[in-house]
Amino acid sequence: MMGTKTMEGLVGARTNMNMTKVPLRVFKDARRRGDTATMERAMGYVNEFSDKAKEYKEEASEGMKEDEKEAKEREKAAREEAVDRLKEESEELEERIEDDKKDSGELLTISQEGKVLCENAIKQKTDDSEGGRPAVGKENVIYTKTGEADQIQKGSEISVLV
């Protein structure tokens, strides 16, 4: 982003350099005619516009240095903010990992009443199906730690780690 001081300096320098073209043309014309008074007056204007262009050039240089300094400060602030954000995210992740470690040791056991309810549900499904066999696609399945399906056997105990 260009600052106002830089823009003002560049525009002023270009304008003053363009303004030297007219007095130079007058100088060349007066030289051809041999009019020294007009030549001196025209060169005075050329020098004046040239000096102003140099001043604006210096102003533009100062503005560019200030712009560069501000850009570096903004970049540094953005880097620091990104580092802080990453630290916060890593701390949150570590907290979640710690919570998961704490929660992973919990064991779920099914009470005797739950086992009876489960067996009754299995019996009810087999009674409702044709021929006393379980309905297709309605088999009771348990999934292992690796994600493989395994049949539930009557009277077996189930333990669940969450």
Side-chain angles (χ1 to χ4, degrees), residues 6-22:
T6 304
M7 286 190 290
E8 184 179 311
L10 292 173
V11 170
R14 178 167 176 87
T15 302
N16 280 291
M17 287 307 294
N18 286 338
M19 290 175 70
T20 60
K21 292 178 183 178
V22 174

Side-chain angles (χ1 to χ4, degrees), residues 120-129 133-135 138-140:
N120 287 341
I122 292 172
K123 284 180 186 176
Q124 190 176 20
K125 284 184 183 178
T126 56
D127 291 342
D128 293 343
S129 65
R133 293 178 301 160
K138 302 273 183 171
E139 297 175 350
N140 292 320

